[in-house]
Amino acid sequence: MVSKPSIEVVKAWIEQWVIELNLCPFAAKPFSEDKIRYVVFEKTEVFELMDFFLEELKKLSTTFSLDTSILILDNICIDFEDYLDVFYFLESKLADFDLEDEFQLASFHPAYRFEGEEESSNSHYTNRSPLPLIHILRVDQVEAARNFYPNIELIPANNIEKMDRMRPESIKIKFDEFKGKN
């Protein structure tokens, strides 16, 4: 796969944010083993994303050397509310195509905001990324992780605690570095 600047930014974010802070205890292995597929959606029309998404599901279904895919939305979904609409639409398509037992989605966005949280809360940075992303996970691997990691349901709360211990200025500086690489 051709290396693109946005892919390099996402890889840096995974390595220097997600893995370094251990926000996802399962990220290091597929990252170090190069089992994450990074694909960039460069078009500007949301309606074209559906075919792209379905092709990526097909690719992941047939390529067992890959653990997961990350869709990088380069030119669309800059607004967080628009992103959520697209994310939930694609998530609903998993059920429509009877794929909800095979895949699940995780959402990351530069302006991610948990409903009910103060806008200035550090907690949002557990799901903030340098670019809008849709992470496609294999359900069987998520289930295997549940068996491996005790109290997997505590990961989000633990991550929020990590963010709350960090100074907002430090978080902003780090995210500005990622944005500067894009």
Side-chain angles (χ1 to χ4, degrees):
M1 172 175 276
V2 177
S3 179
K4 296 185 183 285
S6 53
I7 291 174
E8 297 310 314
V9 167
V10 171
K11 284 182 175 181
W13 168 74
I14 291 171
E15 182 177 35
Q16 298 165 22
W17 187 257
V18 175
I19 293 172
E20 235 175 68
L21 292 177
N22 197 29
L23 296 175
C24 176
F26 317 109
K29 187 173 190 250
F31 182 82
S32 66
E33 293 176 355
D34 200 26
K35 291 187 172 188
I36 301 171
R37 179 172 154 85
Y38 305 87
V39 291
V40 180
F41 181 73
E42 297 175 326
K43 298 183 179 181
T44 58
E45 298 298 328
V46 172
F47 70 87
E48 295 176 291
L49 180 58
M50 183 63 184
D51 289 337
F52 187 81
F53 176 69
L54 291 174
E55 284 299 314
E56 194 55 30
L57 292 175
K58 187 184 302 181
K59 177 76 172 177
L60 198 54
S61 290
T62 59
T63 311
F64 295 102
S65 61
L66 295 172
D67 285 355
T68 187
S69 286
I70 297 178
L71 304 183
I72 303 167
L73 308 178
D74 254 5
N75 299 312
I76 62 169
C77 299
I78 303 305
D79 177 77
F80 181 56
E81 294 302 320
D82 292 343
Y83 167 84
L84 284 179
D85 290 342
V86 168
F87 178 83
Y88 291 131
F89 173 76
L90 293 178
E91 194 172 53
S92 74
K93 292 298 148 193
L94 291 177
D96 290 350
F97 294 113
D98 203 25
L99 293 171
E100 71 270 35
D101 291 336
E102 192 172 345
F103 299 108
Q104 71 180 50
L105 305 181
S107 59
F108 300 93
H109 191 276
Y112 202 96
R113 183 162 181 225
F114 290 106
E115 190 174 342
E117 290 286 324
E118 293 291 324
E119 192 167 331
S120 61
S121 175
N122 285 357
S123 66
H124 306 302
Y125 284 92
T126 64
N127 285 65
R128 284 198 178 158
S129 55
L131 295 161
L133 308 175
I134 296 175
H135 187 183
I136 304 172
L137 301 134
R138 294 178 190 272
V139 169
D140 62 342
Q141 290 186 346
V142 173
E143 290 305 315
R146 287 184 193 284
N147 296 328
F148 170 77
Y149 192 85
N151 303 318
I152 197 170
E153 66 279 351
L154 296 177
I155 292 173
N158 292 340
N159 287 345
I160 290 170
E161 284 181 32
K162 287 175 195 173
M163 291 298 111
D164 286 344
R165 287 192 301 265
M166 293 178 72
R167 292 182 29 208
E169 304 82 27
S170 299
I171 293 172
K172 183 175 178 352
I173 289 168
K174 190 66 167 177
F175 266 79
D176 286 347
E177 286 176 21
F178 295 127
K179 289 179 186 175
K181 293 178 183 179
N182 192 13

